[in-house]
Amino acid sequence: MIVVRGDDGSSLLGTRPANAAELLRYAAAVAVEEDPRPRPDQFVYVDRKDVEWHFVGALRTGRYELAQDVRREVWIPAADPGKALARSTYGEKHTSGDQSQVGVASGTVEYQRAGQCPMDVLHVPSQDVSDLPTDPDRLLTRIREDAEAVVRAEKPAQGETPPSGDQIKRRIERAVAMKLVSLVENPFGSSRTRAVVFGALSKMPTTTMVPDLTDPAGRHGVGASISYQGPDGQEREELIFEPGTYRFLGWRSWTETKQEDGRTRETMRAGTAMMTIKVVDSMPEVPKDADAPAYC
C-alpha cells in the first residue's frame, strides 16, 4: 500500500475525502506528479473527448438545441509548443429539432495548427500562466484582485441602473470562479499549474462534493461542483476525478436556460474527458488535400 500526505497536512490519500475541499487537496497532491517529461525531440500527445454545445435557439423549421461529440488528438512539440497540431474527428450529434443546418457532419476529420484559426481548439500552454503564483492562497488573492479591478472598472450602459454592492460582489465571485475553472479545464496546461488551482478552488465557499458524476466518456467518478450566478441564471462547473486515485478525468459545464413556458432548465454547454496524456516520438503530417477547419 502506498499513501501520500499533502504538504498542507491533509488526510492520507488512502481515506475517502470528507468534503470538496479535501477532495481537491487530494487531487492537487496527485496532479503535481503527473507532468510528462519529454526530450526536446519528442512530443506530448493528448487524446481527449469533447462535447461541444453550439446553440439553443430557433430556425424556420422550429426550435433546436445541439451538442456534438468531438474526438481531439493533439501533438505538442516539446521544443516549440507554438507548432502544436490538432486532429479533430467529429462524431454523434445530440439534438432536438432539425439538425441538418447546424454542427459539422459526423465523420469529418479536420487538422488545425496552433494560431491558424480565431476559434483555437489547441489552447497550448502557457503564456497566460507563466507568471501565476505557485501557492494556492497567493493565486486566489491575485485572481480576486484582478477580477475586482475589472468588475469595478465596468461602466453601465446608457440608461442602465448602476449595479448594487451585492451585484458587484456576485460579479467578482463569478469572475474568480470562471478564471480558476478555465485554468483547470485547459487540457494542455501543466499538471503542476492544475494542482495549484485545485488548492485555490478548495477554498471557494460555493464548492461542494458530488459522490457520483459521469464524464463525457461515460466514466464514473467523484466530483467537485462549483456554482456561481451567471448573467442569465445559475451556472455550474463539475470537475470529475477517478475514485480512489483522484486522477483528473475531466469536466462538464452547465447553465440555466429559460424555456418557452418561463421555467428554467439546466443545459450542459461543454465538457471534456481526458483520455490519454503521454510522450511520443513523432506527429502526423497534415494531408495535402485537408480542408480548412469548419470554424476557421
Side-chain angles (χ1 to χ4, degrees), residues 77-113:
D80 189 355
K83 293 183 178 179
L85 175 69
R87 179 168 63 200
S88 302
T89 304
Y90 288 84
E92 183 182 0
K93 296 179 182 180
H94 310 278
T95 182
S96 62
D98 179 10
Q99 66 175 352
S100 62
Q101 302 182 50
V102 287
V104 178
S106 298
T108 299
V109 178
E110 293 181 345
Y111 291 83
Q112 185 182 133
R113 298 184 185 278

PDB file of all heavy atoms in Angstrom, residues 77-113:
ATOM      1  N   PRO A  77       4.993  19.796 -29.710  1.00  0.00           N
ATOM      2  CA  PRO A  77       6.450  19.624 -29.710  1.00  0.00           C
ATOM      3  C   PRO A  77       7.069  20.191 -28.430  1.00  0.00           C
ATOM      4  O   PRO A  77       6.795  21.333 -28.053  1.00  0.00           O
ATOM      5  CB  PRO A  77       6.901  20.423 -30.934  1.00  0.00           C
ATOM      6  CG  PRO A  77       5.664  20.597 -31.773  1.00  0.00           C
ATOM      7  CD  PRO A  77       4.525  20.650 -30.804  1.00  0.00           C
ATOM      8  N   ALA A  78       7.866  19.392 -27.780  1.00  0.00           N
ATOM      9  CA  ALA A  78       8.486  19.852 -26.535  1.00  0.00           C
ATOM     10  C   ALA A  78       9.372  21.062 -26.769  1.00  0.00           C
ATOM     11  O   ALA A  78       9.444  21.967 -25.930  1.00  0.00           O
ATOM     12  CB  ALA A  78       9.294  18.715 -25.910  1.00  0.00           C
ATOM     13  N   ALA A  79      10.033  21.106 -27.918  1.00  0.00           N
ATOM     14  CA  ALA A  79      10.965  22.198 -28.191  1.00  0.00           C
ATOM     15  C   ALA A  79      10.258  23.473 -28.635  1.00  0.00           C
ATOM     16  O   ALA A  79      10.820  24.568 -28.510  1.00  0.00           O
ATOM     17  CB  ALA A  79      11.965  21.771 -29.262  1.00  0.00           C
ATOM     18  N   ASP A  80       9.019  23.356 -29.136  1.00  0.00           N
ATOM     19  CA  ASP A  80       8.311  24.533 -29.648  1.00  0.00           C
ATOM     20  C   ASP A  80       6.797  24.304 -29.582  1.00  0.00           C
ATOM     21  O   ASP A  80       6.176  23.930 -30.582  1.00  0.00           O
ATOM     22  CB  ASP A  80       8.737  24.823 -31.092  1.00  0.00           C
ATOM     23  CG  ASP A  80       8.200  26.169 -31.588  1.00  0.00           C
ATOM     24  OD1 ASP A  80       7.435  26.813 -30.839  1.00  0.00           O
ATOM     25  OD2 ASP A  80       8.566  26.574 -32.712  1.00  0.00           O
ATOM     26  N   PRO A  81       6.181  24.527 -28.409  1.00  0.00           N
ATOM     27  CA  PRO A  81       4.731  24.299 -28.277  1.00  0.00           C
ATOM     28  C   PRO A  81       3.899  25.110 -29.263  1.00  0.00           C
ATOM     29  O   PRO A  81       2.764  24.735 -29.566  1.00  0.00           O
ATOM     30  CB  PRO A  81       4.448  24.727 -26.828  1.00  0.00           C
ATOM     31  CG  PRO A  81       5.753  24.581 -26.119  1.00  0.00           C
ATOM     32  CD  PRO A  81       6.797  24.927 -27.134  1.00  0.00           C
ATOM     33  N   GLY A  82       4.448  26.210 -29.770  1.00  0.00           N
ATOM     34  CA  GLY A  82       3.718  27.023 -30.725  1.00  0.00           C
ATOM     35  C   GLY A  82       3.486  26.347 -32.064  1.00  0.00           C
ATOM     36  O   GLY A  82       2.748  26.866 -32.902  1.00  0.00           O
ATOM     37  N   LYS A  83       4.096  25.182 -32.287  1.00  0.00           N
ATOM     38  CA  LYS A  83       3.887  24.435 -33.524  1.00  0.00           C
ATOM     39  C   LYS A  83       3.017  23.197 -33.292  1.00  0.00           C
ATOM     40  O   LYS A  83       3.089  22.215 -34.030  1.00  0.00           O
ATOM     41  CB  LYS A  83       5.233  24.032 -34.122  1.00  0.00           C
ATOM     42  CG  LYS A  83       6.049  25.223 -34.617  1.00  0.00           C
ATOM     43  CD  LYS A  83       7.349  24.795 -35.273  1.00  0.00           C
ATOM     44  CE  LYS A  83       8.123  26.011 -35.796  1.00  0.00           C
ATOM     45  NZ  LYS A  83       9.419  25.632 -36.419  1.00  0.00           N
ATOM     46  N   ALA A  84       2.166  23.249 -32.277  1.00  0.00           N
ATOM     47  CA  ALA A  84       1.283  22.123 -31.968  1.00  0.00           C
ATOM     48  C   ALA A  84       0.294  21.885 -33.104  1.00  0.00           C
ATOM     49  O   ALA A  84      -0.031  22.783 -33.887  1.00  0.00           O
ATOM     50  CB  ALA A  84       0.535  22.395 -30.674  1.00  0.00           C
ATOM     51  N   LEU A  85      -0.193  20.651 -33.178  1.00  0.00           N
ATOM     52  CA  LEU A  85      -1.140  20.241 -34.212  1.00  0.00           C
ATOM     53  C   LEU A  85      -2.287  19.480 -33.565  1.00  0.00           C
ATOM     54  O   LEU A  85      -2.070  18.637 -32.682  1.00  0.00           O
ATOM     55  CB  LEU A  85      -0.445  19.336 -35.233  1.00  0.00           C
ATOM     56  CG  LEU A  85      -1.338  18.719 -36.332  1.00  0.00           C
ATOM     57  CD1 LEU A  85      -1.813  19.804 -37.297  1.00  0.00           C
ATOM     58  CD2 LEU A  85      -0.575  17.617 -37.075  1.00  0.00           C
ATOM     59  N   ALA A  86      -3.515  19.782 -33.999  1.00  0.00           N
ATOM     60  CA  ALA A  86      -4.702  19.078 -33.507  1.00  0.00           C
ATOM     61  C   ALA A  86      -5.391  18.361 -34.655  1.00  0.00           C
ATOM     62  O   ALA A  86      -5.486  18.888 -35.770  1.00  0.00           O
ATOM     63  CB  ALA A  86      -5.670  20.060 -32.860  1.00  0.00           C
ATOM     64  N   ARG A  87      -5.870  17.148 -34.379  1.00  0.00           N
ATOM     65  CA  ARG A  87      -6.704  16.415 -35.326  1.00  0.00           C
ATOM     66  C   ARG A  87      -8.056  16.161 -34.655  1.00  0.00           C
ATOM     67  O   ARG A  87      -8.117  15.517 -33.608  1.00  0.00           O
ATOM     68  CB  ARG A  87      -6.057  15.091 -35.726  1.00  0.00           C
ATOM     69  CG  ARG A  87      -6.908  14.268 -36.716  1.00  0.00           C
ATOM     70  CD  ARG A  87      -6.110  13.130 -37.303  1.00  0.00           C
ATOM     71  NE  ARG A  87      -5.693  12.167 -36.295  1.00  0.00           N
ATOM     72  CZ  ARG A  87      -4.694  11.298 -36.452  1.00  0.00           C
ATOM     73  NH1 ARG A  87      -3.996  11.297 -37.560  1.00  0.00           N
ATOM     74  NH2 ARG A  87      -4.376  10.446 -35.490  1.00  0.00           N
ATOM     75  N   SER A  88      -9.124  16.706 -35.231  1.00  0.00           N
ATOM     76  CA  SER A  88     -10.463  16.600 -34.665  1.00  0.00           C
ATOM     77  C   SER A  88     -11.312  15.690 -35.534  1.00  0.00           C
ATOM     78  O   SER A  88     -11.406  15.892 -36.750  1.00  0.00           O
ATOM     79  CB  SER A  88     -11.127  17.981 -34.577  1.00  0.00           C
ATOM     80  OG  SER A  88     -10.354  18.871 -33.787  1.00  0.00           O
ATOM     81  N   THR A  89     -11.931  14.688 -34.909  1.00  0.00           N
ATOM     82  CA  THR A  89     -12.849  13.788 -35.600  1.00  0.00           C
ATOM     83  C   THR A  89     -14.236  14.009 -35.024  1.00  0.00           C
ATOM     84  O   THR A  89     -14.479  13.733 -33.842  1.00  0.00           O
ATOM     85  CB  THR A  89     -12.428  12.319 -35.427  1.00  0.00           C
ATOM     86  OG1 THR A  89     -11.078  12.144 -35.878  1.00  0.00           O
ATOM     87  CG2 THR A  89     -13.356  11.400 -36.203  1.00  0.00           C
ATOM     88  N   TYR A  90     -15.147  14.532 -35.843  1.00  0.00           N
ATOM     89  CA  TYR A  90     -16.482  14.891 -35.378  1.00  0.00           C
ATOM     90  C   TYR A  90     -17.376  13.658 -35.356  1.00  0.00           C
ATOM     91  O   TYR A  90     -17.422  12.870 -36.304  1.00  0.00           O
ATOM     92  CB  TYR A  90     -17.091  15.972 -36.275  1.00  0.00           C
ATOM     93  CG  TYR A  90     -16.435  17.310 -36.066  1.00  0.00           C
ATOM     94  CD1 TYR A  90     -15.252  17.638 -36.724  1.00  0.00           C
ATOM     95  CD2 TYR A  90     -16.983  18.247 -35.198  1.00  0.00           C
ATOM     96  CE1 TYR A  90     -14.634  18.857 -36.519  1.00  0.00           C
ATOM     97  CE2 TYR A  90     -16.372  19.467 -34.984  1.00  0.00           C
ATOM     98  CZ  TYR A  90     -15.191  19.769 -35.652  1.00  0.00           C
ATOM     99  OH  TYR A  90     -14.578  20.978 -35.438  1.00  0.00           O
ATOM    100  N   GLY A  91     -18.100  13.511 -34.243  1.00  0.00           N
ATOM    101  CA  GLY A  91     -18.926  12.333 -34.044  1.00  0.00           C
ATOM    102  C   GLY A  91     -20.406  12.653 -33.965  1.00  0.00           C
ATOM    103  O   GLY A  91     -20.911  13.560 -34.628  1.00  0.00           O
ATOM    104  N   GLU A  92     -21.061  11.921 -33.094  1.00  0.00           N
ATOM    105  CA  GLU A  92     -22.520  11.956 -32.989  1.00  0.00           C
ATOM    106  C   GLU A  92     -23.038  13.322 -32.553  1.00  0.00           C
ATOM    107  O   GLU A  92     -22.418  13.997 -31.731  1.00  0.00           O
ATOM    108  CB  GLU A  92     -22.970  10.886 -31.998  1.00  0.00           C
ATOM    109  CG  GLU A  92     -24.464  10.745 -31.827  1.00  0.00           C
ATOM    110  CD  GLU A  92     -24.838   9.694 -30.803  1.00  0.00           C
ATOM    111  OE1 GLU A  92     -23.919   9.070 -30.231  1.00  0.00           O
ATOM    112  OE2 GLU A  92     -26.043   9.503 -30.575  1.00  0.00           O
ATOM    113  N   LYS A  93     -24.181  13.700 -33.095  1.00  0.00           N
ATOM    114  CA  LYS A  93     -24.885  14.911 -32.663  1.00  0.00           C
ATOM    115  C   LYS A  93     -26.002  14.524 -31.696  1.00  0.00           C
ATOM    116  O   LYS A  93     -26.684  13.519 -31.899  1.00  0.00           O
ATOM    117  CB  LYS A  93     -25.492  15.647 -33.861  1.00  0.00           C
ATOM    118  CG  LYS A  93     -24.475  16.187 -34.858  1.00  0.00           C
ATOM    119  CD  LYS A  93     -25.179  16.868 -36.013  1.00  0.00           C
ATOM    120  CE  LYS A  93     -24.190  17.375 -37.051  1.00  0.00           C
ATOM    121  NZ  LYS A  93     -24.877  18.046 -38.184  1.00  0.00           N
ATOM    122  N   HIS A  94     -26.140  15.319 -30.644  1.00  0.00           N
ATOM    123  CA  HIS A  94     -27.237  15.148 -29.700  1.00  0.00           C
ATOM    124  C   HIS A  94     -28.104  16.389 -29.845  1.00  0.00           C
ATOM    125  O   HIS A  94     -27.688  17.491 -29.468  1.00  0.00           O
ATOM    126  CB  HIS A  94     -26.720  15.020 -28.269  1.00  0.00           C
ATOM    127  CG  HIS A  94     -25.631  14.001 -28.128  1.00  0.00           C
ATOM    128  ND1 HIS A  94     -25.885  12.658 -28.000  1.00  0.00           N
ATOM    129  CD2 HIS A  94     -24.278  14.125 -28.124  1.00  0.00           C
ATOM    130  CE1 HIS A  94     -24.738  11.994 -27.902  1.00  0.00           C
ATOM    131  NE2 HIS A  94     -23.749  12.867 -27.970  1.00  0.00           N
ATOM    132  N   THR A  95     -29.278  16.232 -30.398  1.00  0.00           N
ATOM    133  CA  THR A  95     -30.022  17.414 -30.784  1.00  0.00           C
ATOM    134  C   THR A  95     -31.512  17.223 -30.613  1.00  0.00           C
ATOM    135  O   THR A  95     -32.022  16.111 -30.585  1.00  0.00           O
ATOM    136  CB  THR A  95     -29.718  17.766 -32.261  1.00  0.00           C
ATOM    137  OG1 THR A  95     -30.408  18.958 -32.621  1.00  0.00           O
ATOM    138  CG2 THR A  95     -30.170  16.649 -33.194  1.00  0.00           C
ATOM    139  N   SER A  96     -32.181  18.340 -30.455  1.00  0.00           N
ATOM    140  CA  SER A  96     -33.635  18.367 -30.558  1.00  0.00           C
ATOM    141  C   SER A  96     -33.959  19.313 -31.704  1.00  0.00           C
ATOM    142  O   SER A  96     -33.331  20.362 -31.849  1.00  0.00           O
ATOM    143  CB  SER A  96     -34.278  18.867 -29.263  1.00  0.00           C
ATOM    144  OG  SER A  96     -33.878  20.188 -28.976  1.00  0.00           O
ATOM    145  N   GLY A  97     -34.907  18.957 -32.544  1.00  0.00           N
ATOM    146  CA  GLY A  97     -35.229  19.774 -33.693  1.00  0.00           C
ATOM    147  C   GLY A  97     -34.423  19.358 -34.905  1.00  0.00           C
ATOM    148  O   GLY A  97     -33.770  18.312 -34.936  1.00  0.00           O
ATOM    149  N   ASP A  98     -34.431  20.178 -35.925  1.00  0.00           N
ATOM    150  CA  ASP A  98     -33.766  19.884 -37.196  1.00  0.00           C
ATOM    151  C   ASP A  98     -32.263  20.075 -37.041  1.00  0.00           C
ATOM    152  O   ASP A  98     -31.794  21.164 -36.720  1.00  0.00           O
ATOM    153  CB  ASP A  98     -34.318  20.822 -38.273  1.00  0.00           C
ATOM    154  CG  ASP A  98     -33.652  20.590 -39.628  1.00  0.00           C
ATOM    155  OD1 ASP A  98     -32.912  19.594 -39.751  1.00  0.00           O
ATOM    156  OD2 ASP A  98     -33.890  21.401 -40.536  1.00  0.00           O
ATOM    157  N   GLN A  99     -31.472  19.010 -37.266  1.00  0.00           N
ATOM    158  CA  GLN A  99     -30.018  19.084 -37.094  1.00  0.00           C
ATOM    159  C   GLN A  99     -29.274  19.291 -38.403  1.00  0.00           C
ATOM    160  O   GLN A  99     -28.048  19.387 -38.420  1.00  0.00           O
ATOM    161  CB  GLN A  99     -29.507  17.798 -36.439  1.00  0.00           C
ATOM    162  CG  GLN A  99     -29.689  16.565 -37.322  1.00  0.00           C
ATOM    163  CD  GLN A  99     -29.067  15.336 -36.685  1.00  0.00           C
ATOM    164  OE1 GLN A  99     -28.375  15.416 -35.676  1.00  0.00           O
ATOM    165  NE2 GLN A  99     -29.305  14.179 -37.268  1.00  0.00           N
ATOM    166  N   SER A 100     -29.952  19.402 -39.522  1.00  0.00           N
ATOM    167  CA  SER A 100     -29.273  19.421 -40.806  1.00  0.00           C
ATOM    168  C   SER A 100     -28.493  20.708 -41.041  1.00  0.00           C
ATOM    169  O   SER A 100     -27.561  20.728 -41.830  1.00  0.00           O
ATOM    170  CB  SER A 100     -30.293  19.231 -41.940  1.00  0.00           C
ATOM    171  OG  SER A 100     -31.235  20.300 -41.947  1.00  0.00           O
ATOM    172  N   GLN A 101     -28.871  21.799 -40.366  1.00  0.00           N
ATOM    173  CA  GLN A 101     -28.259  23.084 -40.663  1.00  0.00           C
ATOM    174  C   GLN A 101     -27.213  23.513 -39.644  1.00  0.00           C
ATOM    175  O   GLN A 101     -26.675  24.605 -39.752  1.00  0.00           O
ATOM    176  CB  GLN A 101     -29.346  24.168 -40.748  1.00  0.00           C
ATOM    177  CG  GLN A 101     -30.411  23.877 -41.809  1.00  0.00           C
ATOM    178  CD  GLN A 101     -31.432  24.996 -41.876  1.00  0.00           C
ATOM    179  OE1 GLN A 101     -31.088  26.159 -41.964  1.00  0.00           O
ATOM    180  NE2 GLN A 101     -32.708  24.635 -41.836  1.00  0.00           N
ATOM    181  N   VAL A 102     -26.944  22.690 -38.653  1.00  0.00           N
ATOM    182  CA  VAL A 102     -26.040  23.096 -37.586  1.00  0.00           C
ATOM    183  C   VAL A 102     -25.006  22.003 -37.331  1.00  0.00           C
ATOM    184  O   VAL A 102     -25.216  20.834 -37.652  1.00  0.00           O
ATOM    185  CB  VAL A 102     -26.821  23.393 -36.289  1.00  0.00           C
ATOM    186  CG1 VAL A 102     -27.586  24.686 -36.404  1.00  0.00           C
ATOM    187  CG2 VAL A 102     -27.768  22.249 -35.949  1.00  0.00           C
ATOM    188  N   GLY A 103     -23.857  22.425 -36.728  1.00  0.00           N
ATOM    189  CA  GLY A 103     -22.808  21.480 -36.420  1.00  0.00           C
ATOM    190  C   GLY A 103     -22.009  21.081 -37.648  1.00  0.00           C
ATOM    191  O   GLY A 103     -22.196  21.578 -38.747  1.00  0.00           O
ATOM    192  N   VAL A 104     -21.076  20.152 -37.443  1.00  0.00           N
ATOM    193  CA  VAL A 104     -20.212  19.636 -38.508  1.00  0.00           C
ATOM    194  C   VAL A 104     -20.645  18.204 -38.806  1.00  0.00           C
ATOM    195  O   VAL A 104     -21.001  17.450 -37.895  1.00  0.00           O
ATOM    196  CB  VAL A 104     -18.735  19.672 -38.070  1.00  0.00           C
ATOM    197  CG1 VAL A 104     -17.825  19.097 -39.144  1.00  0.00           C
ATOM    198  CG2 VAL A 104     -18.322  21.101 -37.733  1.00  0.00           C
ATOM    199  N   ALA A 105     -20.621  17.821 -40.074  1.00  0.00           N
ATOM    200  CA  ALA A 105     -21.075  16.487 -40.461  1.00  0.00           C
ATOM    201  C   ALA A 105     -20.307  15.406 -39.712  1.00  0.00           C
ATOM    202  O   ALA A 105     -19.073  15.459 -39.608  1.00  0.00           O
ATOM    203  CB  ALA A 105     -20.915  16.299 -41.974  1.00  0.00           C
ATOM    204  N   SER A 106     -21.029  14.438 -39.159  1.00  0.00           N
ATOM    205  CA  SER A 106     -20.395  13.331 -38.445  1.00  0.00           C
ATOM    206  C   SER A 106     -19.426  12.609 -39.369  1.00  0.00           C
ATOM    207  O   SER A 106     -19.713  12.387 -40.543  1.00  0.00           O
ATOM    208  CB  SER A 106     -21.460  12.358 -37.935  1.00  0.00           C
ATOM    209  OG  SER A 106     -22.327  12.993 -37.029  1.00  0.00           O
ATOM    210  N   GLY A 107     -18.251  12.261 -38.826  1.00  0.00           N
ATOM    211  CA  GLY A 107     -17.224  11.599 -39.621  1.00  0.00           C
ATOM    212  C   GLY A 107     -16.196  12.543 -40.198  1.00  0.00           C
ATOM    213  O   GLY A 107     -15.154  12.092 -40.697  1.00  0.00           O
ATOM    214  N   THR A 108     -16.460  13.856 -40.148  1.00  0.00           N
ATOM    215  CA  THR A 108     -15.494  14.839 -40.654  1.00  0.00           C
ATOM    216  C   THR A 108     -14.211  14.803 -39.829  1.00  0.00           C
ATOM    217  O   THR A 108     -14.250  14.755 -38.595  1.00  0.00           O
ATOM    218  CB  THR A 108     -16.090  16.257 -40.607  1.00  0.00           C
ATOM    219  OG1 THR A 108     -17.252  16.305 -41.436  1.00  0.00           O
ATOM    220  CG2 THR A 108     -15.082  17.291 -41.085  1.00  0.00           C
ATOM    221  N   VAL A 109     -13.059  14.827 -40.498  1.00  0.00           N
ATOM    222  CA  VAL A 109     -11.754  14.882 -39.834  1.00  0.00           C
ATOM    223  C   VAL A 109     -11.070  16.184 -40.233  1.00  0.00           C
ATOM    224  O   VAL A 109     -10.932  16.480 -41.417  1.00  0.00           O
ATOM    225  CB  VAL A 109     -10.879  13.675 -40.212  1.00  0.00           C
ATOM    226  CG1 VAL A 109      -9.509  13.787 -39.532  1.00  0.00           C
ATOM    227  CG2 VAL A 109     -11.551  12.368 -39.829  1.00  0.00           C
ATOM    228  N   GLU A 110     -10.659  16.960 -39.256  1.00  0.00           N
ATOM    229  CA  GLU A 110     -10.009  18.250 -39.505  1.00  0.00           C
ATOM    230  C   GLU A 110      -8.645  18.296 -38.842  1.00  0.00           C
ATOM    231  O   GLU A 110      -8.414  17.673 -37.801  1.00  0.00           O
ATOM    232  CB  GLU A 110     -10.852  19.394 -38.925  1.00  0.00           C
ATOM    233  CG  GLU A 110     -12.173  19.628 -39.592  1.00  0.00           C
ATOM    234  CD  GLU A 110     -12.907  20.793 -38.951  1.00  0.00           C
ATOM    235  OE1 GLU A 110     -12.533  21.219 -37.835  1.00  0.00           O
ATOM    236  OE2 GLU A 110     -13.856  21.276 -39.575  1.00  0.00           O
ATOM    237  N   TYR A 111      -7.756  19.094 -39.437  1.00  0.00           N
ATOM    238  CA  TYR A 111      -6.458  19.382 -38.844  1.00  0.00           C
ATOM    239  C   TYR A 111      -6.365  20.881 -38.594  1.00  0.00           C
ATOM    240  O   TYR A 111      -6.784  21.681 -39.432  1.00  0.00           O
ATOM    241  CB  TYR A 111      -5.329  18.949 -39.779  1.00  0.00           C
ATOM    242  CG  TYR A 111      -5.200  17.451 -39.922  1.00  0.00           C
ATOM    243  CD1 TYR A 111      -5.992  16.749 -40.816  1.00  0.00           C
ATOM    244  CD2 TYR A 111      -4.284  16.746 -39.156  1.00  0.00           C
ATOM    245  CE1 TYR A 111      -5.875  15.374 -40.960  1.00  0.00           C
ATOM    246  CE2 TYR A 111      -4.150  15.369 -39.285  1.00  0.00           C
ATOM    247  CZ  TYR A 111      -4.960  14.696 -40.188  1.00  0.00           C
ATOM    248  OH  TYR A 111      -4.841  13.335 -40.315  1.00  0.00           O
ATOM    249  N   GLN A 112      -5.812  21.245 -37.441  1.00  0.00           N
ATOM    250  CA  GLN A 112      -5.635  22.661 -37.129  1.00  0.00           C
ATOM    251  C   GLN A 112      -4.283  22.862 -36.459  1.00  0.00           C
ATOM    252  O   GLN A 112      -3.938  22.158 -35.506  1.00  0.00           O
ATOM    253  CB  GLN A 112      -6.755  23.159 -36.203  1.00  0.00           C
ATOM    254  CG  GLN A 112      -6.679  24.661 -35.947  1.00  0.00           C
ATOM    255  CD  GLN A 112      -7.751  25.156 -34.988  1.00  0.00           C
ATOM    256  OE1 GLN A 112      -7.481  25.907 -34.052  1.00  0.00           O
ATOM    257  NE2 GLN A 112      -8.986  24.737 -35.212  1.00  0.00           N
ATOM    258  N   ARG A 113      -3.537  23.828 -36.984  1.00  0.00           N
ATOM    259  CA  ARG A 113      -2.244  24.178 -36.384  1.00  0.00           C
ATOM    260  C   ARG A 113      -2.442  25.297 -35.361  1.00  0.00           C
ATOM    261  O   ARG A 113      -3.383  26.081 -35.455  1.00  0.00           O
ATOM    262  CB  ARG A 113      -1.255  24.626 -37.456  1.00  0.00           C
ATOM    263  CG  ARG A 113      -0.939  23.555 -38.484  1.00  0.00           C
ATOM    264  CD  ARG A 113       0.130  24.036 -39.451  1.00  0.00           C
ATOM    265  NE  ARG A 113       0.380  23.073 -40.515  1.00  0.00           N
ATOM    266  CZ  ARG A 113       1.155  22.011 -40.396  1.00  0.00           C
ATOM    267  NH1 ARG A 113       1.760  21.768 -39.232  1.00  0.00           N
ATOM    268  NH2 ARG A 113       1.350  21.189 -41.417  1.00  0.00           N
TER     269      ARG A 113
END
